[in-house]
Amino acid sequence: MGTATLDGKAIALDDAYRHAAKILSGAAFPLIAGLGADVAGARAAILLAERLRGAFDHLASREALADIDVKRSFGMFTTTANEARLRSDCVVLIGPGLTQAWPGMLERLALSQPPRRGAQAQQPRKVIWVGPRDEEANAVPGAKVIPASGQELSGVLAAWRARLGGRPVALGAEKVGLIDGLVETFRNAHFGVFVWSASTLDPLGIEMLQGLVTDLNATTRFTGVHVGGRSGASGVTQTAGWMTGFPPRTGFGRGYPEHDPWRFEANRLVDSGEADAALWISAFDGEQPAWSRADIPLVALGPAQAAPSRGLFIEVGQPGVTHDAVLMSQETGGMTLCTASAPTDAPTVAQAIGGIMAEVSEGAWR
């Protein structure tokens, strides 16, 4: 069984569930935030938000919504990591921290190996990395590294797209020559892939990237692989979609789901006082909330080492480590059952929320 604390002092798990239910059901507009959970935990959390007529948001929803915004307004070319590994003869990595966001990226994409299928099978794969971190710069032998800060990435993509279209850019002749050489590499690719993370590209940068992909597809074949947000963001977004029709930052205040990326953003709701109680879920690594208000009544679910000194804390296991879990896999682009690598008897997020839900009466509907 897991542990629970109230203001740093141990309490029985059943008492913790009752106290959590009292805090959340007594609020005028409770917030279910963090949502770092597997699919079962996300389902339970969204159902609780619906029962309480509150709102839910994921701790990495900014990244998830950046990609979704471009899909909604512009469209997006994407493929799976497996297809990129097998067929891509040109891979362009955009931005720093990709190996942190996706620890298995280098191995999964097999960047140092030639493609196994397609027109360029067994021919050397070209790899270009724009703005890698220092420790990433030499991660792929033979890769062309282009220094750029995070703030410069959108400008780099804009310059590439301009030169691909034969338009001038306000750069010196030497830089224009380098850009034109890269653009020619793109044109000559048979199956090119851009890899990016919304943690370093904003929606306008992602749209510029997808515009470049669209332009390249007029004469060759290019697509993308986007790296999902941390703490199960992709799986939670998918779960929210099939349950409510919307991604996170959705509220049930009127008795039905409403999606608004500004109104239901967790930090804003807490700091403005609109949310008067919160359930914070971070089962993967115990990440703490970023809001500045410290006096909101708080129930936190996380690993034992994340127990705070204030508020109610209920220990939960880590998905895929302490218990089997269904998660969105970056490697396959689909939901995958991850078996526990180090099983414990700590409750899952779904079990903990089930314990809280059992103490919330149907009268909590308002």
Side-chain angles (χ1 to χ4, degrees), residues 12-29:
L13 200 55
D14 288 343
D15 291 339
Y17 292 151
R18 280 190 288 273
H19 191 56
K22 181 179 179 181
I23 291 172
L24 297 171
S25 61
F29 192 70

Side-chain angles (χ1 to χ4, degrees), residues 84-144:
R85 182 182 74 252
L86 291 176
R87 298 184 182 279
S88 63
D89 59 326
C90 179
V91 176
V92 188
L93 307 170
I94 306 295
L98 291 177
T99 54
Q100 180 179 3
W102 183 6
M105 181 186 75
L106 300 179
E107 294 75 18
R108 188 65 184 180
L109 296 180
L111 296 178
S112 59
Q113 301 173 21
R116 292 166 52 189
R117 297 180 184 172
Q120 295 297 102
Q122 304 308 319
Q123 299 300 311
R125 195 192 312 261
K126 295 181 177 66
V127 180
I128 300 161
W129 199 331
V130 185
R133 290 180 174 170
D134 291 341
E135 65 273 18
E136 295 173 323
N138 299 316
V140 185
K144 181 177 182 60

Side-chain angles (χ1 to χ4, degrees), residues 51-242:
R51 167 76 67 86
L52 297 172
R53 292 200 177 182
F56 68 90
D57 187 16
H58 191 277
L59 58 88
S61 59
R62 188 200 67 80
E63 291 95 324
L65 290 172
D67 285 322
I68 290 172
D69 283 349
V70 177
K71 289 179 183 177
R72 287 168 169 166
S73 62
F74 186 82
M76 186 174 287
F77 287 92
T78 59
T79 190
T80 64
N82 187 57
E83 190 76 357
R85 182 182 74 252
L86 291 176
R87 298 184 182 279
S88 63
D89 59 326
C90 179
V91 176
V92 188
L93 307 170
I94 306 295
L98 291 177
T99 54
Q100 180 179 3
W102 183 6
M105 181 186 75
L106 300 179
E107 294 75 18
R108 188 65 184 180
L109 296 180
L111 296 178
S112 59
Q113 301 173 21
R116 292 166 52 189
R117 297 180 184 172
Q120 295 297 102
Q122 304 308 319
Q123 299 300 311
R125 195 192 312 261
K126 295 181 177 66
V127 180
I128 300 161
W129 199 331
V130 185
R133 290 180 174 170
D134 291 341
E135 65 273 18
E136 295 173 323
N138 299 316
V140 185
K144 181 177 182 60
V145 174
I146 301 175
S149 67
Q151 292 73 28
E152 294 171 328
L153 293 176
S154 294
V156 169
L157 294 169
W160 289 357
R161 191 179 183 193
R163 294 308 296 161
L164 178 67
R167 296 181 293 274
V169 292
L171 297 170
E174 183 178 354
K175 286 188 175 180
V176 171
L178 291 172
I179 293 171
D180 287 349
L182 282 171
V183 167
E184 194 62 24
T185 298
F186 300 158
R187 282 198 182 102
N188 292 331
H190 289 77
F191 189 107
V193 175
F194 287 94
V195 182
W196 82 94
S197 168
S199 62
T200 54
L201 276 182
D202 60 17
L204 288 177
I206 297 169
E207 184 173 324
M208 183 62 70
L209 171 61
Q210 286 298 318
L212 178 60
V213 171
T214 299
D215 294 347
L216 284 164
N217 273 311
T219 57
T220 184
R221 189 179 182 189
F222 254 85
T223 186
V225 172
H226 68 94
V227 180
R230 66 195 187 281
S231 292
S234 296
V236 172
T237 300
Q238 292 286 335
T239 305
W242 78 59

Side-chain angles (χ1 to χ4, degrees), residues 243-256:
M243 291 181 70
T244 69
F246 300 112
R249 297 191 179 173
T250 292
F252 296 94
R254 292 177 179 156
Y256 54 86

